[in-house]
Amino acid sequence: MSPADGTPNTTETARVDAWTWAVRLFKTRSQAATSCRAGHVRVNGVPVKPAHQLRRGDEVRIREGGRERIVEVERIVNKRVGPPIAAQCLIDKSPPPPPPEVLAALPRRDRGAGRPTKRDRREIDRLLGRP
């Protein structure tokens, strides 16, 4: 995208780490590249490296924080853009987050409590109905 007039970029492709950063799916480009290297970013169902070239119509799946974001590339940008323009560059197909009641019902351990003991694991298994 041209910074002066807001017109779309004439190039047909962009690096996956640069595009995900430009449309504000990641805070920094290095976070985007690290997620790609860790296998958390998939394009059309295939894990990709940061330098993978995206095209219009590609489906990008990002797994972060226990949630999966699914977006379709609508427009290619290489420079970081504002939120209103970023929203025009992708089609968000992500499932809605679970309701707060479901999240509250999930068992949680206190931060810093360490690994569950054998007794804790037995109680968890009993709660979940595992043999």
Side-chain angles (χ1 to χ4, degrees), residues 6-104:
T7 57
N9 200 356
T10 56
T11 60
E12 299 282 329
T13 63
R15 287 174 55 114
V16 68
D17 63 339
W19 186 83
T20 54
W21 165 75
V23 297
R24 299 174 172 266
L25 295 174
F26 289 102
K27 285 188 178 184
T28 65
R29 185 166 172 185
S30 64
Q31 280 180 344
T34 302
S35 288
C36 289
R37 280 189 228 102
H40 299 297
V41 178
R42 294 175 173 263
V43 175
N44 300 326
V46 179
V48 294
K49 294 182 178 180
H52 180 81
Q53 296 294 313
L54 280 180
R55 291 175 172 58
R56 187 173 188 269
D58 283 348
E59 180 186 74
V60 180
R61 290 177 177 254
I62 300 171
R63 201 178 32 165
E64 62 179 338
R67 222 179 133 212
E68 187 172 41
R69 300 268 326 255
I70 304 168
V71 296
E72 184 179 328
V73 178
E74 183 68 19
R75 192 162 58 177
I76 298 293
V77 291
N78 290 314
K79 302 279 184 179
R80 193 159 172 98
V81 294
I85 297 172
Q88 298 171 359
C89 295
L90 56 91
I91 300 170
D92 195 355
K93 297 180 175 180
S94 303
E101 301 84 32
V102 173
L103 291 176

